[in-house]
Amino acid sequence: MPKTVFDPADPLSLDALLSTEEIAVRETVRTMLDKRVQPHIAQWFEDGGVEEPRELFKEFGKLGLLGMHLDGYGLPGMSSVEYGLACVELEACDSGIRSMVSVQGSLAMYAIWKFGNEETKRRWLPGMGTGELVGCFGLTEPDHGSDPGSMRTRAKRDGDDWILDGSKMWISNGTFADVAVVWAQTDDGIRGFAVPTDTPGFSAKLIHHKLSLRASATAELVLEGVRLPAESMFPDVKGLRGPLSCLTEARYGIVWGSMGAARSSFESALEYSKTREQFGRPIGGFQLTQEKLANMCLELHKGLLLALHLGRRKDEVGLTPEQVSFGKLNNVREALDICRNARTILGANGISLEYPVIRHMNNLESVLTYEGTTEMHTLVIGQALTGENAFGGR
């Protein structure tokens, strides 16, 4: 019987639960990011360098990262676990980089793949898979975030066409997208549309002065009399079921990705604790520091185990929205706590971009509230447990 050895990098031996192919996917993504993104990401964050990452889409496409868990139309058709492992590596680099990939594949591409007509799928999906085309996803509005059913963006029939008016806020990839998936109120309920961004009346305004997700482009989309042909509308989905199913798909990636930010921060704190000396010894030799590191390690690997379990279930039988809320609520909350504790171990160096911790911590403040706030996911689980709807007052 082989001797069991404790590995600080894999304390629960989770790699033993992965296939050779899954590990290869993880290592391929990590290698590419180490070479192409890691040397620049702190500067992109500091500069708010939103244009440089745009060039990454074609490289991500060559690697099969865009819509990697979707099949047909030239898409990779890989497993949910493989996609999750890629999300860990992407967010270990930066949450903004993972968001670029998630919005492309799990929101824009998934919406078109799941709900678009055949013409729409063939028009957009192959190019989006290679990164030649970029997509964004317009649901959130300036006054409607957690309550998307109250959206004000409106689509009206005009002969065979649709006319869209309204605005969407906090839209990743929005300034350089080729197609925007936009959800709008109609006389027949909420409907989804694939909107070419070169359509007259469509504009995207870059949001400035962010202190989070600075390495990715975030936009306000404005639609003023945007005229679309009838086939631009998704024909077979109506109401919030469409956009919420897309959000469930994207939230699954966050369950994994948030653990990447946590891992990067934990590893940085662990290494720092071994080399930083105070009172004549490394700070890793002090009990309070070891308590922080032990608790961080516990939550990191419990979160990875939860993500892997959900990934296996998704591949085998699928997930309920409540299960995805379970993962998003726990893992993002714990990842943010890990980053905050890592910052205290690094002391003043913890606020420097020479280390990744403050960048991850700031990014996770956005991840905590986008695609469902902590409160919303708490109420999803609460309703599932009690059978009582505690959302809003209606």
Side-chain angles (χ1 to χ4, degrees):
M1 183 175 181
K3 183 179 179 181
T4 301
V5 178
F6 182 83
D7 180 1
D10 186 17
L12 295 181
S13 300
L14 296 185
D15 275 7
L17 303 178
L18 302 177
S19 69
T20 302
E21 291 77 13
E22 289 165 344
I23 291 174
V25 167
R26 182 186 68 189
E27 298 307 312
T28 299
V29 176
R30 183 181 301 182
T31 299
M32 181 269 192
L33 293 169
D34 283 347
K35 180 183 299 184
R36 181 65 179 86
V37 182
Q38 287 287 12
H40 311 291
I41 189 62
Q43 194 64 51
W44 289 347
F45 182 93
E46 186 165 13
D47 295 342
V50 297
E51 290 303 321
E52 293 91 339
R54 167 65 179 89
E55 301 305 313
L56 293 172
F57 276 93
K58 292 179 183 178
E59 297 178 56
F60 288 156
K62 290 178 182 177
L63 213 59
L65 290 176
L66 304 177
M68 66 183 293
H69 57 307
L70 306 178
D71 56 16
Y73 307 96
L75 304 179
M78 302 180 80
S79 72
S80 298
V81 169
E82 289 168 325
Y83 173 58
L85 291 166
C87 285
V88 172
E89 300 308 318
L90 288 161
E91 197 144 354
C93 184
D94 190 84
S95 299
I97 301 300
R98 196 268 309 148
S99 291
M100 290 164 53
V101 173
S102 291
V103 168
Q104 176 87 341
S106 291
L107 288 178
M109 291 178 69
Y110 179 80
I112 293 170
W113 180 84
K114 183 73 173 178
F115 302 120
N117 58 39
E118 191 62 26
E119 179 181 345
T120 299
K121 293 176 183 180
R122 293 186 183 278
R123 177 179 181 182
W124 296 112
L125 290 177
M128 294 175 79
T130 63
E132 298 287 336
L133 300 174
V134 175
C136 65
F137 186 87
L139 177 63
T140 297
E141 297 188 355
D143 296 318
H144 299 284
S146 295
D147 183 18
S150 298
M151 69 176 67
R152 294 176 182 170
T153 298
R154 185 85 184 165
K156 296 182 179 180
R157 291 302 299 260
D158 183 31
D160 291 333
D161 294 342
W162 289 93
I163 308 294
L164 273 63
D165 289 279
S167 63
K168 301 294 181 178
M169 196 70 170
W170 306 114
I171 310 303
S172 295
N173 302 347
T175 57
F176 47 67
D178 299 286
V179 60
V181 171
V182 175
W183 302 91
Q185 298 276 11
T186 74
D187 291 337
D188 192 32
I190 293 172
R191 306 302 294 257
F193 299 82
V195 183
T197 59
D198 60 0
T199 305
F202 181 98
S203 62
K205 302 176 182 179
L206 184 66
I207 296 174
H208 296 281
H209 309 302
K210 296 184 302 176
L211 293 178
S212 180
L213 297 180
R214 288 177 54 79
S216 66
T218 308
E220 178 185 10
L221 307 184
V222 178
L223 301 99
E224 299 174 305
V226 173
R227 179 178 291 272
L228 300 171
E231 59 268 20
S232 298
M233 187 187 75
F234 299 152
D236 298 323
V237 65
K238 180 169 64 175
L240 285 176
R241 180 177 68 86
L244 292 184
S245 67
C246 299
L247 289 178
T248 296
E249 195 72 14
R251 289 163 179 165
Y252 165 78
I254 293 173
V255 176
W256 286 88
S258 57
M259 291 293 98
R263 187 192 75 197
S264 175
S265 295
F266 169 71
E267 290 175 347
S268 183
L270 179 61
E271 182 61 29
Y272 190 84
S273 76
K274 296 175 181 179
T275 57
R276 172 67 169 178
E277 292 191 1
Q278 293 289 279
F279 306 103
R281 63 189 300 194
I283 62 174
F286 294 105
Q287 291 180 0
L288 292 178
T289 302
Q290 289 191 3
E291 180 186 35
K292 291 179 182 180
L293 291 168
N295 286 333
M296 292 159 66
C297 186
L298 282 171
E299 296 307 325
L300 169 61
H301 292 279
K302 284 160 59 178
L304 288 169
L305 188 58
L306 171 58
L308 180 58
H309 169 69
L310 293 178
R312 295 286 187 230
R313 292 287 297 172
K314 192 173 191 300
D315 282 327
E316 292 169 5
V317 297
L319 294 174
T320 69
E322 294 84 359
Q323 289 171 329
V324 177
S325 287
F326 196 109
K328 205 265 186 181
L329 175 62
N330 180 81
N331 281 13
V332 179
R333 186 169 62 188
E334 296 306 323
L336 186 54
D337 194 52
I338 287 168
C339 292
R340 288 169 175 164
N341 276 293
R343 209 234 34 101
T344 68
I345 291 175
L346 270 68
N349 284 321
I351 69 167
S352 169
L353 287 177
E354 293 297 319
Y355 298 87
V357 176
I358 193 69
R359 177 166 52 81
H360 287 311
M361 194 172 87
N362 280 14
N363 284 339
L364 285 174
E365 290 289 354
S366 291
V367 180
L368 186 71
T369 54
Y370 74 21
E371 297 185 30
T373 65
T374 295
E375 292 81 2
M376 291 298 104
H377 289 293
T378 298
L379 296 182
V380 167
I381 296 172
Q383 181 177 355
L385 293 173
T386 66
E388 297 290 337
N389 184 351
F391 289 89
R394 290 177 291 181

